[in-house]
Amino acid sequence: MPHDPVPGLLSRATELLEKQFAALPAFESAADTSAMVRVLEDVARRMGDSYPFFHPLYAGQMLKPPHPVARAAYALAMTLNPNNHARDGGRASSEMEIEAVQGIAGIFGWTEFLGHLTSSGTLANLEALWVAGQLAPDKRIVGSEQAHYTHRRISAVLKLEYASIAADYRGRMSVPALETELRKGDVGTVVVTLGTTALGAVDPLDEVLALREKYNFRVHVDAAYGGYFRLISLAEPAQRAFAVIDQADSIVIDPHKHGLQPYGCGCVLFRDPSVGRFYKHDSPYTYFTSKQLHLHPSEQKSLAGDPVHLGEISLECSRAGASAVALWATQQLLPLVPGGEFARGLALGRSAALDLDRRLREDRTGRFQPLAVGAPELDIVVWKMNAKTPELSSELAQRIFTACAARDLHLALVQLPLAWFEPVSESESVIAVETVTCLRSVLMKPEHEVWMDSIWERLTASCAEVMREYRS
Ligand SMILES: Cc1ncc(COP(=O)(O)O)c(C=O)c1O
């Protein structure tokens, strides 16, 4: 288990924080502490029934352990439990949120923008689509069929019509299929995913932006998973897509995915700060301080220096200030710059993914079938098992998944179109009818790179065992 790497890290900082409140009269806490030890031991026993997400042999779903400094800063902030809805609930933590969000916007080269943290990527996307709907209430939202499933649901909640665009053989939005929809003249917003959930595929943002010139729609980039990859070099065409992310109208990125944060930390950014006018509400409980934000853009002067309550620019009310504190601390330690330690960590996971993909392709037994076209664009690897029928292939994947888990190697399963594994021309899109269960590995941890021999050994031993059972 990842114990605190610096002994006394949290207790020293807690002492420092407590000193600043030492002038207050002492008081007895109303909490009955007598049963706490027993209850916490019960918690530890219950929590043992979890996958070991912190370990490099956990290589399944999108789960990345928070950085130790994020865990410590979160715990420290919990002694106060700030609420970042408004400065009345979290004075210091609101400032830290504003600074941390500036750091995130800096990844995309944005300095003047509107943005804040959210409880999740889903809520961040909801805000982006809500703003899109305020600007074009009668127009449709479209996204690739590989876009996160919540976009359709969010659109339904917002009473906006949503349509799926076919994906190509690498899981990227098909541009010809998108243009067919655009020609209908009623598309208000295109959701472009940079890093899909299943494959880590990168939609061709550069080509979508070229279409925006012709068809005039809003571009929302869902980079909940992939956003931080803007900091490292990728292969083409993903590199081209990330290079123009600053031209999006809105961007979602999840610090609780690749940003080393505890859950409860998404982020939404808008290129045009004047969309703040849509957030005007009439709560009598919190104190509005911005004189500019809710004015029409024609009446707004610069927002710089205009103190904003985060609740004035977000749909959620209460939100964990501790999330902002943890993020701020992490970004102090690991600045979000190309070539820095944070970026190196991302590059190591990606290099592990390329290594696993190469081993699968070069395996001489022919039992593995990676995607027909191309290596992983980010750090997610998928493959199907070679078998006579899709049903048998799916069954093998399921059994290997279980056999790997018995060897402490935790992978994931995903349903993908069968056609993606057949030889094809790269630009074609697919009407995905038949699917097959595939194995999937999200290699998010820097440690995965040095653990690849061990991962490979356990995977191949599990395959051999399952194949033996089939033959006998
Ligand atoms: C591309 C993408 N968008 C949105 C989401 C939803 O984010 P959250 O789980 O933080 O709500 C995910 C989650 O996996 C995702 O991969």
Side-chain angles (χ1 to χ4, degrees):
M1 291 283 283
H3 290 298
D4 285 339
V6 182
L9 177 72
L10 182 55
S11 51
R12 245 180 291 166
T14 308
E15 223 172 90
L16 182 63
L17 178 59
E18 278 172 357
K19 261 194 207 149
Q20 296 167 79
F21 295 94
L24 288 168
F27 72 104
E28 286 293 314
S29 163
D32 175 4
T33 53
S34 55
M36 268 174 50
V37 171
R38 179 182 54 73
V39 169
L40 211 62
E41 283 175 3
D42 285 348
V43 170
R45 274 184 218 102
R46 293 290 296 263
M47 290 304 290
D49 180 24
S50 303
Y51 290 109
F53 305 120
F54 54 86
H55 197 280
L57 284 175
Y58 184 86
Q61 305 280 9
M62 287 176 174
L63 287 146
K64 187 171 184 170
H67 193 281
V69 85
R71 284 193 288 132
Y74 198 103
L76 181 63
M78 286 314 291
T79 54
L80 287 159
N81 193 24
N83 181 340
N84 272 17
H85 169 64
R87 294 191 189 220
D88 356 357
R91 223 165 36 219
S93 54
S94 292
E95 285 297 334
M96 288 159 114
E97 174 164 335
I98 290 165
E99 287 170 36
V101 171
Q102 274 164 357
I104 290 180
I107 302 176
F108 310 118
W110 285 2
T111 47
E112 285 248 339
F113 63 94
L114 194 76
H116 61 88
L117 299 181
T118 60
S119 297
S120 68
T122 303
L123 278 173
N125 278 320
L126 178 120
E127 280 201 25
L129 296 191
W130 174 72
V131 164
Q134 298 294 306
L135 288 162
D138 302 321
K139 298 239 167 146
R140 287 189 300 152
I141 314 273
V142 299
S144 141
E145 60 189 12
Q146 286 292 309
H148 199 256
Y149 73 96
T150 46
H151 288 288
R152 179 180 290 281
R153 203 151 74 171
I154 289 166
S155 301
V157 169
L158 297 171
K159 299 208 176 335
L160 298 168
E161 204 183 317
Y162 181 89
S164 279
I165 308 291
D168 68 15
Y169 282 84
R170 293 182 77 159
R172 297 185 298 222
M173 182 190 280
S174 155
V175 173
L178 172 62
E179 189 158 16
T180 304
E181 283 303 309
L182 293 173
R183 277 198 205 99
K184 296 177 185 167
D186 62 347
V187 172
T189 301
V190 178
V191 175
V192 179
T193 308
L194 298 193
T196 61
T197 318
L199 295 192
V202 177
D203 283 348
L205 178 60
D206 46 329
E207 295 175 49
V208 176
L209 288 169
L211 288 176
R212 183 171 70 175
E213 299 298 306
K214 189 165 167 196
Y215 296 98
N216 185 31
F217 49 84
R218 199 171 163 80
V219 172
H220 169 57
V221 169
D222 180 356
Y225 186 72
Y228 288 100
F229 283 91
R230 177 74 180 80
L231 293 171
I232 69 168
S233 289
L234 299 169
E236 294 295 1
Q239 180 74 21
R240 265 200 315 276
F242 274 99
V244 290
I245 195 170
D246 59 310
Q247 292 171 41
D249 296 294
S250 49
I251 303 175
V252 159
I253 176 170
D254 265 1
H256 71 198
K257 289 194 171 59
H258 255 306
L260 297 165
Q261 295 310 297
Y263 281 114
C265 196
C267 178
V268 63
L269 305 168
F270 296 98
R271 186 156 54 103
D272 173 8
S274 80
V275 298
R277 67 191 183 278
F278 296 124
Y279 287 92
K280 186 169 174 52
H281 62 78
D282 52 8
S283 154
Y285 320 110
T286 44
Y287 326 124
F288 278 26
T289 47
S290 170
K291 306 231 176 346
Q292 303 279 331
L293 189 69
H294 300 111
L295 299 177
H296 190 271
S298 59
E299 295 165 44
Q300 273 184 0
K301 296 188 197 88
S302 169
L303 285 172
D306 193 32
V308 167
H309 280 304
L310 292 161
E312 292 178 282
I313 55 161
S314 70
L315 284 184
E316 289 176 87
C317 184
S318 294
R319 228 166 11 78
S323 286
V325 175
L327 183 63
W328 186 89
T330 310
Q331 291 178 192
Q332 293 296 303
L333 191 71
L334 304 171
L336 301 174
V337 290
E341 191 182 333
F342 179 87
R344 270 201 301 283
L346 284 180
L348 284 171
R350 177 164 152 67
S351 150
L354 293 176
D355 185 4
L356 177 57
D357 184 69
R358 185 185 49 74
R359 292 178 194 233
L360 291 164
R361 286 177 199 279
E362 290 176 1
D363 182 74
R364 292 224 205 94
T365 62
R367 56 198 154 167
F368 303 118
Q369 242 187 306
L371 284 184
V373 186
E377 297 201 90
L378 301 181
D379 56 1
I380 301 178
V381 187
V382 294
W383 68 98
K384 84 186 246 310
M385 295 307 297
N386 210 350
K388 285 206 180 85
T389 64
E391 291 73 27
L392 185 55
S393 174
S394 294
E395 196 182 325
L396 281 175
Q398 181 73 56
R399 293 183 62 159
I400 290 165
F401 168 80
T402 308
C404 285
R407 288 178 170 78
D408 288 326
L409 171 63
H410 299 284
L411 300 174
L413 293 167
V414 61
Q415 296 289 326
L416 292 176
L418 192 56
W420 286 4
F421 299 89
E422 311 294 337
V424 284
S425 100
E426 188 160 347
S427 61
E428 264 176 90
S429 59
V430 187
I431 306 299
V433 199
E434 198 172 3
T435 60
V436 60
T437 307
C438 303
L439 286 151
R440 170 169 166 268
S441 179
V442 183
L443 294 155
M444 297 178 87
K445 301 186 193 91
E447 295 85 358
H448 279 138
E449 215 225 3
V450 290
W451 276 76
M452 194 43 70
D453 282 341
S454 182
I455 290 173
W456 182 249
E457 195 187 303
R458 285 159 207 256
L459 171 62
T460 48
S462 305
C463 284
E465 177 192 299
V466 169
M467 301 296 201
R468 249 194 326 270
E469 281 169 15
Y470 261 86
R471 275 195 290 270
S472 59

